[in-house]
Structure formats: C-alpha cells, structure tokens
Amino acid sequence: MDHFLYRDGSLYAEDVSLAEIAARVGTPFYCYSTATLTRHFTLFDEALSGMDHLVCYAMKANSNQAVLTLMAGLGAGVDVVSGGEYRRAIAAGFTGDKIVFSGVGKTREEMTLALQGGIRQFNVESEPEMERLNAVAQMLGLVAPITVRVNPDVDAKTHAKIATGKKENKFGIPISRAREVYARAAALPGIDVIGIDVHIGSQLTQLEPFEAAYNKVKELTHELRADGHDIRRLDLGGGLGIPYERSNEAPPLPSEYGAMVQRVLGDLDVEVEIEPGRLIAGNAGVLVSEVIYVKSGEEREFLIIDAAMNDLIRPAMYEAHHDIVPVVEAAPGSEKVKYDVVGPVCESGDTFAKQRDLDVLGEGDLIALRSAGAYGAVMASEYNSRPLIPEVLVQGDQFAVIRKRPDYDEMINRDIIPEWL
Ligand code: LLP
C-alpha cells in the first residue's frame, strides 16, 4: 500500500496535489511520501518482532539525506557500500553501531574511515579483502567485526543483472569453502568473527529462494559453531520484491517474509539483520513528468515526455516495467490510446513503455511513473547535459524540496578548462 491516491480525479501524494508541486517546482521531479516510507520500514520491523533483530535500510535504493534522516529517526540501521554512503549515514545521524558495510571492493581508505568512525560490522566478500581488513585494523590498533558473505548457489529467479546468489556471480565466497575461510579469519588478530551474511539478489517475488538460502546458512551456523566460532548474528540481505504492475499478482508481504525467517531461523539463538532497500523506498516514490509532444509515427503514437533515461534508467537497463498514470484522470469510461512513452534523449533505449494503454493525453499534461522511489534518483546521470532533477518529500499536507534542481552554471562550471586551451 502507498499514499499516492486520486482525489476528485487528481493524483495526490498524501494530502498534497502533485499538480500543485509541479506548478511550484517544475517538471520532471521525484516525489516521495513520508507515510509510505515509514509504513514500509515499520512492516519489516514488526515482521521480525519476535526475534532480536535490526532492519538495516539499504541506502543504495535511495540515499537522499532527508530519507536517511527519516530512517535514522525510526530506529533503523543502515547498509552502506561505499565511503560516500558511509559519510551520508553519519551525516544523517546514524551511529557507527548501526552501520553495516557491504560490497565486493572495499578500499583501504573505506576500511579506515569505517573503523575509525565506528562500524557494526563489515560484510567481507573475499579472502583478499579479509586479509587487507586485518592489516588495516591492526595498523590502527583496532579490531574489525565481520561476517563473511557466503554465496549459497541459489537461483533467485529474478532479472539476471540483479541476481547475486549463483556461483557464477562475483559476490561472496562459495558456501562450500566457508569453514576454511572462517578458520583463517579466526587466526587473524585484527578480525572478530561475529556472524554470517547472505544476499541472493533483488526484486525476488517468491519466498522459496530466500528459504533455500537461509536453510543453507542455518546448516552452516551449526557447522561453524561446532568448529568453535561464536556465530551470533546473521545478516540475511535484502531483496524482497515489490508490485511494479498493479495488475499482476503481488509478491509476498514483509509479514510473510518475516514469518518464514522466524520459522527457519527462530530456534538458532542469533540476532538477525535484514537489508531491504527497494521495498522501503520503491513504492514510496513517483516520477512526475510533463508531456512535451504527442507525435504520430507511422504505426505508433509517441508520447514524448520531459523525463528521460538519464532520470530513470531502469526501463532501459533492465527492461523494467513502471506503471504510468495521468496526474489528472479522464472521466470513467473515456477512450484509451496505446502510446509509446519516450524521453528526449537520442537513443532508442530512452523508452519508458511500449504500446501502453493510457487516457488520451496532450501537450502540457502531467503523468506519474510509479514505483520510482528506489533505484531512480540514485541511478540518475546528466547524460545529454540534462541536470539532475529535484526530489520532493511530502508529509501530510506539507512538502519540501529535498534536493534542488541545479542551475546550468553549476553543471557547466564543474568542468575545468586547462589553461593551455
Ligand atoms: N544488500 C545488498 C548486499 C545488496 O547488494 C542489495 C542490492 C540490497 C541489500 C538491497 O536489495 P533490495 O532490498 O533493494 O532488493 N539497480 C537495481 C537493483 C540493484 C540491487 C543491488 N543490490 C534495480 O534498479 O532494480
């Protein structure tokens, strides 16, 4: 459930009309709902309420400082994957003991930053990383708390570009080698082994792959404990999918996911962490755009809008579906037209939808691309010298610009012309 609903035929974010925001901020823009973000975090938190747990928001989905500040205030932990994300977490008020550091390529600088600034744990993804972390920690006179990310060789049954739990993927160490790697970890003075980490992919729409992975982690917990390791925390990753198409069957709910986690792992006497990103932010955001032209091609009607692939790359990159709705609805029973919804960028891939049934739309009309709160703004670029678009946060009847649209000078003046030119 989200808080983007029609009132008298006009689409609202909570109690604010999107048309009003468009008039004040200009298009295109991202708009997020505080109530939806809060609700989604709370659903996960409640789903695990029977266990010792921490919901660590995966900020890669949406790392705006306002969103992070909201999450920190709700008591969330946070999953970061770079020094930049670590700094964002600290700036938003997360303390080190709530920050989990994931990622396959952590550098010395990033390790130092997190060790000195405070860290809940590093999720170590390889032996060379573990050796380096040990060296960095020893040099600083500190000890790094770690889990090792294991790759359980489970098919997540999601898009190939966002599946991470098969043995051909670059993530984690093969679960078959885990005991060897943990034995090495125990011998390193700069390393404190506290648990196991697993993350098999994103936009999972079934519970079975999670359950298969968690059962393997459970078995490994017993084995590692028998080897003498004090396994007290399991990081179960993120990945629960969201309904992108209202017309399709919805993926399992956080409550169902939580019940499965409790059923599989409830008797292990461990603290559980999860790292959801998409489910918290995805349906808490829309991308609002204006129709520039309606162009009649030989066989198609093109709706050319002022948002483009540089603003929301998911359709171009993953063939992702985003529902598209008019900001002002036509009267019930009105005619529908099949449109190809495209942006102004000079690539055929700059297409948001093909042959999509929509109300008849014209120049100046506003549309909303739904489910755009996760992996939308964070993956945007300035391709075609299109400045990053603003982000707006709504709470009740108020809204605030939480990232402003840069002016063109800001964009141009970032470049430096060498004096010899
Ligand atoms: N933890 C780790 C270690 C991850 O790699 C990810 C996502 C998450 C948590 C959060 O997963 P989520 O709950 O959001 O599914 N750009 C792609 C998604 C990439 C996901 C990468 N890792 C997209 O737009 O679909």
Side-chain angles (χ1 to χ4, degrees):
M1 191 209 120
D2 60 50
H3 295 77
F4 297 94
L5 298 170
Y6 286 97
R7 284 192 197 169
D8 299 328
S10 183
L11 191 58
Y12 274 63
E14 301 188 25
D15 301 327
V16 184
S17 132
L18 288 173
E20 186 195 326
I21 300 177
R24 299 266 290 278
V25 175
T27 56
F29 63 91
Y30 279 103
C31 177
Y32 312 129
S33 153
T34 305
T36 313
L37 288 162
T38 304
R39 178 184 146 81
H40 290 163
F41 167 79
T42 308
L43 287 177
F44 273 120
D45 202 31
E46 287 174 1
L48 295 175
S49 60
M51 300 176 92
D52 189 6
H53 72 277
L54 185 65
V55 178
C56 296
Y57 170 60
M59 77 152 81
K60 62 168 76 67
N62 185 322
S63 52
N64 186 288
Q65 291 303 131
V67 173
L68 298 178
T69 302
L70 172 68
M71 288 296 142
L74 291 170
V78 66
D79 173 56
V80 306
V81 292
S82 69
E85 287 198 348
Y86 183 90
R87 287 179 168 86
R88 280 190 178 275
I90 295 289
F94 288 98
T95 48
D97 61 338
K98 293 273 191 77
I99 306 176
V100 172
F101 207 136
S102 300
V104 294
K106 301 175 199 80
T107 62
R108 266 189 203 93
E109 291 70 27
E110 289 170 331
M111 291 170 176
T112 304
L113 176 72
L115 281 166
Q116 289 182 330
I119 189 76
R120 180 176 177 81
Q121 100 233 2
F122 291 92
N123 292 334
V124 169
E125 298 234 8
S126 68
E127 289 154 293
E129 181 195 339
M130 191 165 81
E131 299 291 335
R132 183 171 302 177
L133 183 59
N134 174 57
V136 173
Q138 280 196 283
M139 211 174 59
L140 297 171
L142 297 167
V143 175
I146 71 152
T147 70
V148 176
R149 177 168 175 182
V150 293
N151 185 327
D153 194 23
V154 165
D155 183 355
K157 301 199 172 78
T158 183
H159 191 284
K161 283 189 185 155
I162 52 175
T164 55
K166 288 287 284 175
K167 58 174 181 281
E168 59 267 30
N169 300 128
K170 69 181 175 185
F171 302 95
I173 58 139
I175 197 162
S176 53
R177 293 203 46 241
R179 291 175 75 178
E180 204 183 310
V181 174
Y182 274 85
R184 175 67 187 151
L188 298 173
I191 296 287
D192 177 23
V193 173
I194 59 170
I196 309 172
D197 172 43
V198 69
H199 170 80
I200 57 173
S202 194
Q203 187 54 18
L204 272 69
T205 53
Q206 299 166 28
L207 291 182
E208 288 73 23
F210 286 117
E211 188 164 347
Y214 298 167
N215 271 312
K216 289 190 177 189
V217 167
K218 179 179 187 172
E219 202 179 311
L220 181 61
T221 303
H222 291 308
E223 286 171 10
L224 293 178
R225 282 178 173 168
D227 290 346
H229 303 285
D230 181 12
I231 302 297
R232 50 197 187 273
R233 183 180 295 163
L234 300 182
D235 183 332
L236 303 176
L240 190 59
I242 62 170
Y244 276 100
E245 289 187 61
R246 294 297 179 283
S247 51
N248 278 4
E249 199 186 327
L253 300 170
S255 57
E256 296 167 303
Y257 170 85
M260 179 274 291
V261 168
Q262 306 222 26
R263 176 164 52 74
V264 176
L265 303 171
D267 59 357
L268 266 190
D269 189 24
V270 282
E271 179 185 9
V272 157
E273 265 166 21
I274 55 169
E275 302 169 348
R278 188 191 310 269
L279 200 141
I280 290 179
N283 279 328
V286 295
L287 169 56
V288 177
S289 179
E290 187 178 301
V291 176
I292 309 176
Y293 298 113
V294 182
K295 172 172 165 178
S296 297
E298 279 199 3
E299 291 173 355
R300 287 165 188 245
E301 291 283 290
F302 292 102
L303 208 57
I304 304 176
I305 64 174
D306 64 0
M309 64 190 286
N310 69 298
D311 304 311
L312 176 67
I313 200 159
R314 302 195 68 261
M317 193 156 170
Y318 315 108
E319 294 86 39
H321 173 102
H322 286 263
D323 276 352
I324 299 176
V325 294
V327 167
V328 177
E329 271 184 316
S334 302
E335 182 198 352
K336 298 266 182 199
V337 181
K338 279 195 196 307
Y339 289 112
D340 279 17
V341 182
V342 302
V345 163
C346 312
E347 296 202 28
S348 302
D350 186 22
T351 298
F352 291 112
K354 286 194 170 148
Q355 296 296 288
R356 189 73 67 83
D357 278 323
L358 295 173
D359 289 346
V360 176
L361 288 158
E363 289 179 17
D365 286 344
L366 297 173
I367 59 170
L369 287 98
R370 300 192 57 130
S371 312
Y375 306 111
V378 286
M379 294 179 79
S381 75
E382 290 180 339
Y383 186 39
N384 279 207
S385 288
R386 297 167 46 87
L388 296 181
I389 65 176
E391 294 172 273
V392 171
L393 184 65
V394 170
Q395 177 168 37
D397 61 3
Q398 45 181 344
F399 76 88
V401 174
I402 57 172
R403 189 177 67 195
K404 71 177 184 60
R405 194 187 302 277
D407 62 35
Y408 287 97
D409 286 344
E410 271 175 75
M411 185 175 72
I412 293 169
N413 292 333
R414 232 182 285 133
D415 298 353
I416 301 162
I417 304 168
E419 62 189 19
W420 66 78
L421 278 181

